Amino acid sequence: MEDTYKHKGLRKKLVEEIRKKGIGDERVLSAIEKIPRHFFMDSSFESFAYQDKPFPIGSGQTISQPYTVAYQTELLEVEPKDKVLEIGTGSGYQACVLIEMGARVYTIERYRTLYNKTKKILNKMGYAPKMFYGDGAKGLPSYAPFDKILVTAAASEVPEELLKQLKPGGIMVVPVGTGDTQIMNKIFKNEDGTYNEKSCGYFRFVPLLSNKA
Ligand code: SAH
């Protein structure tokens, strides 16, 4: 795996493209500029790595579109040292963006093959989120509570169990819907345990599935 000047140049362009599409958080943009996205894809597809598009990564799953990664990350308002739970490790790219922003990342993937493959790639790159194989909708009760929770697959409704694992004052970002597109929900947990929700546009995710594979 090599990160050449050409790759770095393509990444700069990608960042400018995402900036034009409305992402203003410089910390998110610099994380994207730093991380070699082509390392997360098979080498024969390298040329696709710096297009602002999702891409298949095996097991019928995808690495999210860079804009979507940036948008979700921005909504999450990540602060250094935040304890963040990600549902849907997939390629691991989103987890690395969170790590670059200083978060302590816990991430869950339900496909054993993807979990294994991604673990190897991240190790090689020197990223070390706490990785779990299992059903993300159940969260990680023994590691809760979390400052932030990010769901990167489409939930049919806001997962109740995850809300419980969010700290008062915390934020959860979750795409909700059963159709072709989902509404991005940003949920604040108030100090008194009540919630405020905000809809933040339409996106397209693979579904959050409940059984392990
Ligand atoms: N965050 C990923 C994008 C992942 S796509 C990235 O940066 O590449 C969504 C991922 O969620 C897929 O890998 C899918 O297998 C996983 N997934 C689906 N249902 C899940 C569940 N119940 N628990 C954990 N992961 C799940």
Side-chain angles (χ1 to χ4, degrees):
M1 291 197 289
E2 225 193 320
D3 190 28
T4 63
Y5 281 111
K6 188 177 161 212
H7 294 123
K8 291 190 175 93
L10 290 171
R11 268 206 305 283
K12 264 206 162 70
K13 277 198 187 139
L14 174 64
V15 164
E16 287 321 308
E17 191 177 338
I18 294 172
R19 194 197 296 277
K20 277 200 196 105
K21 289 180 180 170
I23 303 299
D25 188 333
E26 291 301 328
R27 294 179 313 136
V28 175
L29 294 169
S30 63
I32 287 175
E33 185 160 344
K34 187 159 175 207
I35 303 168
R37 189 169 183 258
H38 62 286
F39 286 4
F40 298 82
M41 294 159 60
D42 289 338
S43 54
S44 43
F45 299 122
E46 219 188 82
S47 60
F48 293 94
Y50 298 111
Q51 298 182 10
D52 190 21
K53 289 186 182 149
F55 202 80
I57 50 169
S59 304
Q61 303 305 319
T62 55
I63 176 170
S64 300
Q65 182 179 344
Y67 172 76
T68 306
V69 172
Y71 187 72
Q72 285 199 294
T73 311
E74 191 171 62
L75 287 179
L76 210 58
E77 299 177 25
V78 180
E79 298 294 336
K81 306 250 166 61
D82 267 357
K83 188 172 163 191
V84 180
L85 173 64
E86 178 196 22
I87 312 303
T89 313
S91 66
Y93 179 73
Q94 170 75 71
C96 294
V97 171
L98 295 168
I99 290 171
E100 284 295 346
M101 294 183 69
R104 294 174 289 141
V105 178
Y106 295 69
T107 181
I108 315 177
E109 172 56 51
R110 73 175 280 280
Y111 274 104
R112 172 70 82 182
T113 43
L114 257 184
Y115 166 86
N116 289 335
K117 184 175 162 192
T118 298
K119 197 165 193 149
K120 270 195 207 132
I121 294 172
L122 296 190
N123 274 346
K124 229 182 188 171
M125 292 179 71
Y127 286 108
K130 293 196 170 53
M131 295 180 68
F132 300 83
Y133 161 65
D135 178 8
K138 300 195 174 89
L140 292 172
S142 49
Y143 295 89
F146 297 93
D147 296 297
K148 309 281 163 65
I149 299 181
L150 176 57
V151 183
T152 68
S156 53
E157 51 192 56
V158 177
E160 199 58 39
E161 194 49 46
L162 296 183
L163 280 179
K164 279 191 212 152
Q165 295 177 29
L166 191 60
K167 256 186 208 166
I171 296 174
M172 172 151 99
V173 172
V174 52
V176 178
T178 48
D180 259 7
T181 57
Q182 299 84 38
I183 296 180
M184 191 69 81
N185 271 272
K186 177 171 178 173
I187 303 170
F188 301 86
K189 187 171 191 168
N190 300 315
E191 297 294 339
D192 64 4
T194 59
Y195 300 99
N196 287 354
E197 268 190 58
K198 194 174 156 204
S199 299
C200 303
Y202 288 90
F203 287 83
R204 188 181 298 247
F205 285 84
V206 297
L208 186 71
L209 302 166
S210 53
N211 294 317
K212 290 196 272 183

